[in-house]
Amino acid sequence: MNKLPARFEPLLFAGLLSGMMSFLVSGVATWKSLGFRSDFIDLWIASWLSSWLIAFPAVMMVAPAVRKLVKRCVRTSP
C-alpha cells in the first residue's frame, strides 16, 4: 500500500476525526429528534454532510491548540 507523505498528516487527521465524529453525533441527533423511520438514512446522511462541512475546518483550527494543551497536561518519560 502506498502511503501519503508526512506533510498530509494534519489534513488526514482532521478529515478522519471530523468525519467520524460528525457521522456518529449527527446519527444520534437525527435518531433522537426524528426516531427511526423509513427515510432515516437519507436524513442522517444529509445531516452528516452539513455537520462535516463545519467540523472539518473546526478541527483544522482547534487541533494544534489542543495538542499543545495536552502536552502541558501529560508528563513525559521520567
Side-chain angles (χ1 to χ4, degrees), residues 6-43:
R7 69 179 185 270
F8 291 109
E9 184 178 346
L11 188 64
L12 184 59
F13 173 83
L16 292 174
L17 179 65
S18 64
M20 289 177 195
M21 290 303 297
S22 61
F23 185 75
L24 293 171
V25 171
S26 65
V28 171
T30 302
W31 175 65
K32 293 285 286 176
S33 176
L34 303 175
F36 192 76
R37 46 193 235 191
S38 61
D39 59 347
F40 174 78
I41 299 297
D42 293 335
L43 294 168

